[in-house]
Amino acid sequence: QVQLVESGGGLVQPGGSLRLSCAASGRIFSFKAMAWHRQAPGKERELVAGITNDGSTNYADSLKGRFTISRDNAKNTVYLQMDSLKPEDTAVYYCEGEFFIDEVGSTWWGWGQGTQVTVSS
């Protein structure tokens, strides 16, 4: 079993920055991929950014240039640096992760519990 724990959310003024963290722990053999999603009130969950085991990244087109995903392999942790935040970035941000849990390629996939980001003056 693998656990994903997000942190770093909070209240920030428009134009400010936040860095979210998602730490994975448990039965992890190696990293496969992780991603950040968000869900605003009354809206569907949407992909924000993702990163794979070879370091490739992808972003929602509307967020390119403001958000940056990165990872610390040694800590099995993924970060989301969010800059120039806008009120419309207000949402619950969820971490999604997929990991190899043994040497024969078995995988685990799941979600974290989410962290609230509120952008308001």
Side-chain angles (χ1 to χ4, degrees):
Q1 187 70 304
V2 178
Q3 297 80 40
L4 301 175
V5 178
E6 299 107 329
S7 60
L11 174 64
V12 62
Q13 292 187 344
S17 297
L18 278 177
R19 190 176 82 152
L20 305 182
S21 300
C22 177
S25 62
R27 185 186 171 190
I28 297 171
F29 182 76
S30 65
F31 175 96
K32 185 175 183 183
M34 292 182 78
W36 287 97
H37 300 253
R38 69 184 184 183
Q39 188 166 18
K43 295 187 176 182
E44 293 186 353
R45 191 173 297 190
E46 62 176 353
L47 175 69
V48 173
I51 187 166
T52 61
N53 58 1
D54 66 359
S56 299
T57 59
N58 65 289
Y59 296 90
D61 287 342
S62 61
L63 301 176
K64 288 180 181 178
R66 293 197 300 122
F67 288 16
T68 304
I69 190 170
S70 62
R71 64 184 174 134
D72 183 329
N73 290 343
K75 297 181 179 179
N76 283 320
T77 298
V78 168
Y79 305 97
L80 184 68
Q81 178 67 40
M82 305 185 294
D83 298 318
S84 303
L85 283 163
K86 305 175 181 180
E88 52 263 43
D89 294 318
T90 295
V92 178
Y93 284 70
Y94 296 92
C95 175
E96 175 196 14
E98 187 170 14
F99 298 87
F100 294 106
I101 58 173
D102 59 35
E103 63 275 16
V104 298
S106 304
T107 59
W108 176 93
W109 171 84
W111 295 90
Q113 81 286 355
T115 185
Q116 176 70 47
V117 171
T118 303
V119 184
S120 175
S121 55

